């Protein structure tokens, strides 16, 4: 059973909110406990979170707000999630650093790839906040870019309510079947909406594998990291 040495975990903002607005402490505590288990197994971990539990730039734009300003608001929402996750990780004895793409010296370090790598080598979890620091980029794209720049072996996409990649939305189509493995070319040809297209193209071009899996039951992140066949492995083929 093969495993990964350094992973980037992508978490949605909606997960942090437990389906609502704001941060659900019980959910964040559970996620922190999962990540702590991975770190204690000797795996280096970086995290990228979304901010959809606070703001979604594209949706605010539809309601008349300037897209650039709305995206920056979303980035600040992401930082709030990062700080919450950092707090719960450190309560579990896991040293954690938040690095942000927008400078905010009182609460986080600036994003410096070499420093992030050094933190991970020392067993610290690095949480990348404030997205790319620029509007018009999704946190999907940020996750892949940060994984590449910090030399992670894989991007782990943790989902709520779905346990992998299906031929169609399993909530809408009862005949949808799950893929165990998939290439980036196959996913693009089938029009599967796993991540946004920029993120997908970056993964494919750089041969960075991705595992899409469900957060249920607890312990799944560690199982994936240790090489168990959970969810869907997407690779360059």
């Amino acid at each position: 059973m093969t495993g990964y040495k350094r992973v980037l975990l992508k978490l949605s903002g909606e997960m942090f909110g437990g389906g609502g607005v704001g941060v659900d402490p019980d959910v964040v505590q559970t996620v922190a406990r999962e990540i702590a288990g991975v770190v204690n197994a000797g795996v280096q971990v970086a995290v990228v979170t979304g901010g959809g539990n606070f703001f979604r730039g594209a949706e605010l734009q539809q309601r008349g707000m300037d897209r650039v300003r709305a995206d920056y608001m979303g980035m600040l929402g992401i930082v709030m999630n990062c700080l919450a996750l950092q707090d719960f990780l450190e309560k579990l004895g896991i040293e954690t650093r938040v690095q942000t793409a927008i400078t905010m010296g009182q609460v986080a370090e600036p994003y410096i790839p070499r420093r992030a790598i050094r933190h991970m080598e020392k067993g610290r979890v690095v949480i990348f906040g404030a997205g790319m620091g620029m509007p018009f980029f999704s946190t999907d794209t940020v996750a892949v870019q940060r994984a590449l720049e910090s030399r992670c072996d894989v991007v782990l996409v943790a989902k709520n309510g779905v346990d992998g990649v299906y031929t169609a939305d399993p909530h809408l189509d009862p005949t949808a079947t799950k893929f165990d493995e998939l290439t980036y070319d196959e996913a693009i040809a089938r029009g599967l909406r796993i991540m946004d297209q920029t993120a997908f193209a970056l993964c494919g071009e750089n041969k960075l594998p991705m595992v899409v899996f469900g957060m249920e039951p607890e312990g799944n992140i560690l199982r994936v990291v240790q090489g168990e066949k959970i969810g869907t492995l997407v690779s360059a083929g």
Side-chain angles (χ1 to χ4, degrees):
M1 191 164 68
T2 58
Y4 302 105
K5 291 181 180 176
R6 182 181 297 162
V7 303
L8 186 135
L9 178 64
K10 167 67 168 64
L11 301 169
S12 72
E14 288 83 356
M15 184 185 297
F16 276 71
V21 176
V23 170
D24 182 329
D26 294 335
V27 173
V28 182
Q29 186 173 42
T30 300
V31 173
R33 203 163 49 233
E34 291 242 355
I35 294 170
V38 174
V39 174
N40 290 330
V43 179
Q44 298 174 22
V45 180
V47 182
V48 166
T49 78
N53 52 322
F54 290 111
F55 303 102
R56 297 187 72 88
E59 288 176 15
L60 289 170
Q61 182 190 24
Q62 288 168 3
R63 301 291 295 275
M65 183 176 279
D66 176 74
R67 173 65 191 266
V68 172
R69 193 163 291 123
D71 276 0
Y72 279 119
M73 289 172 67
M75 291 175 214
L76 297 177
I78 291 168
V79 175
M80 290 194 271
N81 286 337
C82 294
L83 295 176
L85 181 57
Q86 178 184 37
D87 190 69
F88 280 101
L89 279 168
E90 294 197 332
K91 281 183 170 66
L92 294 170
I94 304 296
E95 274 200 70
T96 308
R97 298 289 185 273
V98 175
Q99 289 197 349
T100 57
I102 298 171
T103 306
M104 41 186 82
Q106 268 93 337
V107 297
E109 296 179 359
Y111 170 57
I112 301 172
R114 296 289 304 170
R115 184 182 286 176
I117 291 169
R118 191 78 187 102
H119 285 320
M120 285 189 276
E121 287 171 348
K122 289 181 175 180
R124 298 168 185 151
V125 172
V126 181
I127 309 172
F128 297 118
M132 195 79 81
M134 298 176 285
F136 304 106
F137 286 93
S138 75
T139 50
D140 286 349
T141 304
V142 175
V144 175
Q145 192 279 335
R146 297 293 190 255
L148 290 168
E149 203 165 9
S150 58
R151 299 179 193 153
C152 292
D153 302 322
V154 65
V155 176
L156 306 180
V157 184
K159 295 282 191 182
N160 262 12
V162 64
D163 61 349
V165 180
Y166 283 74
T167 51
D169 186 338
H171 300 302
L172 303 175
D173 184 350
T175 65
T177 55
K178 179 169 154 278
F179 294 100
D180 290 327
E181 293 191 12
L182 195 63
T183 68
Y184 288 108
D185 288 343
E186 285 171 343
I188 291 165
R190 288 172 173 269
L192 300 174
R193 299 287 298 165
I194 302 167
M195 279 186 145
D196 74 58
Q197 288 183 321
T198 310
F200 221 59
L202 261 179
C203 268
E205 285 167 17
N206 293 281
K207 297 182 169 52
L208 178 66
M210 176 190 302
V211 180
V212 182
F213 66 101
M215 283 293 283
E216 303 290 333
E218 195 170 328
N220 263 4
I221 301 174
L222 182 59
R223 292 186 192 102
V224 171
V225 164
Q226 291 179 332
E228 278 191 44
K229 300 282 187 195
I230 292 174
T232 304
L233 172 65
V234 192
S235 63

